[in-house]
């Protein structure tokens, strides 16, 4: 984990929702900044608690975090999907007035925020823009939660397919001198459009037609950008960190994702099992528990032993999983465990404490 933070230019934290991805990304960012690197943590939808902790605003403004242990620079920002997409359109469109037409088109406003793949594209677009700026040694991306982690990597290509030349040509009007085949094709299109207009109203159809007419100017740049992002993702300097929890189904997903990562040419450098054990279990023995009387002592000892046995069984499952993943990935240091804190992480001091735990090897 430490070697990755010291050498990587990009670290992408990926995984399903509710496993503590954002908190981990922030802690890794703190640790890298503590070690002297200029770090930017990008996140999509942090909890209100973490937004307050990281001093984040919804408009995407950069937050600079300070702590006595930071030798480098620790920055963080929430990715605003609509704002990021608008900035891409403004750069990609050939003319300013054309960019404004696209951005204010009602169909674009809908597609840029709700279309499948748009959130993933804007996350990667923001990542690439920050990488291009040269202002950071390490950029950590906290990805939007996905049912299957591999879906995040495929989403931009799906988005690109919607805006490819074939689709937009289907909607653009053709010249009178076009071939018979093209004229026939667009005759069929016009029939479809007339049917949709009857159902949705002429205003929507006007927006639809205008949208596909205008995006011709930047669709190739969208495809070029997605290709550039892909090259960044498969770079040896880009590492993936899969965050999961201590659950058999999620651990199997981690093993599957490891195979998909290697198949796609990406570098999976770590699998973090978050909240693996409660921190109090690491610090407490039955003798250290408070005893009111002999009856209470017996009850507490029994309960403590039950919990200890439960977590020992989990630990056995973890060690089997780890052994199999190490053999599969040919990496002895790939799995990393972090205990569950006995409180919410709600300030920079808590982030620093978690970073310190990671720096010292987590759970062995």
């Amino acid at each position: 984990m430490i070697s990755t933070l010291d050498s990587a230019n990009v670290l992408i934290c990926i995984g399903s929702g509710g496993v503590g991805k954002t908190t981990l990304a922030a802690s890794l960012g703190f640790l890298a900044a503590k070690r002297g690197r200029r770090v930017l943590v990008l996140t999509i939808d942090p909890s209100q608690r973490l937004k307050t902790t990281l001093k984040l605003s919804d408009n995407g403004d950069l937050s600079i975090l300070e702590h006595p242990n930071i030798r480098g620079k620790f920055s963080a920002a929430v990715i605003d999907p609509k704002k990021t997409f608008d900035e891409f359109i403004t750069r990609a469109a050939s003319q300013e007035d054309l960019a404004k037409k696209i951005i204010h088109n009602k169909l674009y406003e809908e597609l840029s925020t709700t279309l499948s793949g748009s959130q993933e594209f804007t996350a990667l677009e923001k990542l690439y823009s920050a990488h291009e700026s040269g202002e950071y040694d390490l950029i950590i991306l906290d990805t939007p939660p996905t049912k299957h982690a591999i879906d995040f990597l495929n989403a931009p290509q799906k988005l690109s397919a919607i805006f490819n030349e074939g689709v937009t040509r289907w909607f653009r009007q053709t010249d009178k001198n076009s071939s018979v085949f093209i004229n026939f094709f667009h005759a069929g299109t016009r029939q479809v459009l007339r049917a949709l207009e009857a159902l949705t109203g002429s205003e929507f159809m006007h927006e639809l037609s205008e949208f596909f007419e205008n995006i011709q100017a930047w669709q190739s740049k969208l495809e070029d950008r997605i290709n550039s992002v892909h090259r960044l993702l498969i770079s040896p300097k880009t590492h993936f960190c899969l965050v999961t929890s201590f659950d058999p189904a999620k651990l199997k997903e981690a093993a599957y994702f490891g195979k998909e990562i290697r198949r796609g040419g990406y570098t999976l450098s770590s699998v973090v099992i978050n909240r693996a054990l409660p921190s109090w279990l690491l610090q407490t023995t039955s003798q250290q528990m408070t005893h009111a009387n002999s009856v209470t002592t017996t009850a507490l000892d029994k309960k403590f032993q039950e919990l200890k046995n439960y977590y020992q069984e989990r630990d056995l499952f973890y060690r089997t999983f780890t052994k199999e993943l190490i053999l599969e990935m040919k990496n002895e240091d790939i799995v990393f465990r972090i205990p569950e804190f006995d409180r919410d992480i709600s300030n920079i001091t808590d982030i620093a404490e978690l970073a310190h735990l990671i720096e010292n090897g987590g759970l062995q």
Side-chain angles (χ1 to χ4, degrees):
M1 181 70 75
I2 299 300
S3 61
T4 298
L5 293 177
D6 288 343
S7 61
N9 295 140
V10 174
L11 178 62
I12 300 177
C13 295
I14 199 164
S16 54
V19 295
K21 251 191 350 287
T22 307
T23 302
L24 180 67
S27 300
L28 292 173
F30 180 96
L31 181 53
K34 177 184 174 182
R35 298 176 66 83
R37 306 198 78 189
R38 298 172 300 164
V39 182
L40 171 64
V41 174
L42 296 172
T43 183
I44 295 287
D45 187 25
S47 66
Q48 186 58 51
R49 173 174 46 80
L50 271 173
K51 282 176 66 175
T52 302
T53 299
L54 299 176
K55 301 178 181 178
L56 298 173
S57 61
D58 290 325
N59 60 10
D61 288 347
L62 203 63
S63 169
I64 309 296
L65 294 110
E66 297 180 352
H67 188 275
N69 292 344
I70 292 177
R71 293 190 296 112
K73 186 177 181 181
F74 186 22
S75 308
V78 174
I79 298 172
D80 181 338
K82 179 66 166 61
K83 182 179 179 181
T84 302
F85 219 133
D86 289 353
E87 289 172 350
F88 169 77
I89 295 297
T90 301
R91 290 195 307 272
S94 56
Q95 300 172 2
E96 184 179 348
D97 60 337
L98 177 59
K100 289 181 178 178
K101 280 184 179 180
I102 296 173
I103 289 171
H104 294 300
N105 184 282
K106 292 179 182 178
L107 182 60
Y108 164 78
E109 291 177 359
E110 183 70 19
L111 293 179
S112 62
T113 54
T114 63
L115 190 66
S116 176
S118 62
Q119 190 178 53
E120 288 82 358
F121 168 74
T122 51
L124 292 172
E125 164 62 21
K126 191 68 176 178
L127 167 68
Y128 194 82
S129 297
H131 173 72
E132 273 190 320
S133 74
E135 296 178 13
Y136 308 100
D137 302 316
L138 174 64
I139 305 164
I140 299 177
L141 175 63
D142 166 37
T143 60
T146 54
K147 185 176 181 181
H148 301 292
I150 202 68
D151 291 347
F152 173 78
L153 300 174
N154 297 331
Q157 284 75 12
K158 293 178 182 178
L159 180 68
S160 177
I162 293 174
F163 297 117
N164 67 28
E165 176 63 24
V167 174
T168 53
R169 188 188 297 118
W170 193 75
F171 280 92
R172 290 197 300 269
Q173 294 181 357
T174 57
D175 186 82
K176 291 181 180 179
N177 297 322
S178 298
S179 68
V180 174
F181 173 78
I182 293 295
N183 280 330
F184 173 78
F185 186 80
H186 281 275
T189 301
R190 286 193 293 272
Q191 290 178 1
V192 173
L193 294 181
R194 280 197 295 270
L196 287 172
E197 183 175 338
L199 292 172
T200 62
S202 59
E203 182 181 353
F204 173 81
M205 296 316 301
H206 172 73
E207 294 280 345
L208 179 67
S209 177
E210 185 181 65
F211 172 72
F212 278 101
E213 191 73 35
N214 290 335
I215 67 170
Q216 181 183 12
W218 60 267
Q219 62 185 5
S220 63
K221 294 182 181 179
L222 173 66
E223 293 175 7
D224 289 344
R225 193 65 160 184
I226 288 174
N227 290 332
S228 296
V229 167
H230 179 70
R231 285 193 292 272
L232 175 63
L233 295 182
I234 62 175
S235 163
K237 288 288 189 177
T238 297
H239 292 249
F240 283 76
C241 172
L242 176 62
V243 187
T244 185
S245 60
F246 216 123
D247 173 85
K250 291 186 181 296
L251 292 180
K252 287 179 182 177
E253 179 190 45
Y256 165 77
F257 185 62
K259 295 177 183 178
E260 291 297 308
I261 277 286
R262 287 203 301 168
R263 188 177 300 161
Y266 308 101
T267 302
L268 178 64
S269 59
S270 54
V271 175
V272 175
I273 302 176
N274 200 18
R275 304 165 186 156
L277 297 172
S279 57
W280 60 261
L281 186 66
L282 306 175
Q283 304 164 359
T284 308
T285 66
S286 58
Q287 287 75 25
Q288 291 171 321
M289 300 177 76
T290 302
H291 305 312
N293 52 55
S294 58
V295 177
T296 305
T297 300
T298 303
L300 286 173
D301 283 345
K302 183 179 179 182
K303 188 64 177 177
F304 178 81
Q305 193 59 48
E306 287 176 358
L307 287 170
K308 189 175 180 180
N309 291 341
Y310 169 73
Y311 283 109
Q312 282 178 340
E313 289 177 7
R314 280 175 47 144
D315 189 64
L316 182 61
F317 183 87
Y318 149 76
R319 293 186 186 281
T320 302
F321 163 80
T322 301
K323 193 176 296 184
E324 292 174 354
L325 193 61
I326 286 173
L327 289 173
E328 175 69 32
M329 301 300 295
K330 299 179 175 61
N331 181 352
E332 291 187 359
D333 301 318
I334 191 167
V335 183
F336 192 86
R337 290 191 300 167
I338 297 176
E340 182 176 12
F341 273 40
D342 56 5
R343 64 187 185 280
D344 289 336
I345 293 179
S346 57
N347 54 57
I348 194 69
T349 302
D350 292 339
I351 293 288
E353 184 178 339
L354 181 53
H356 177 74
L357 180 63
I358 294 170
E359 188 174 27
N360 286 276
L363 291 169
Q364 301 303 319

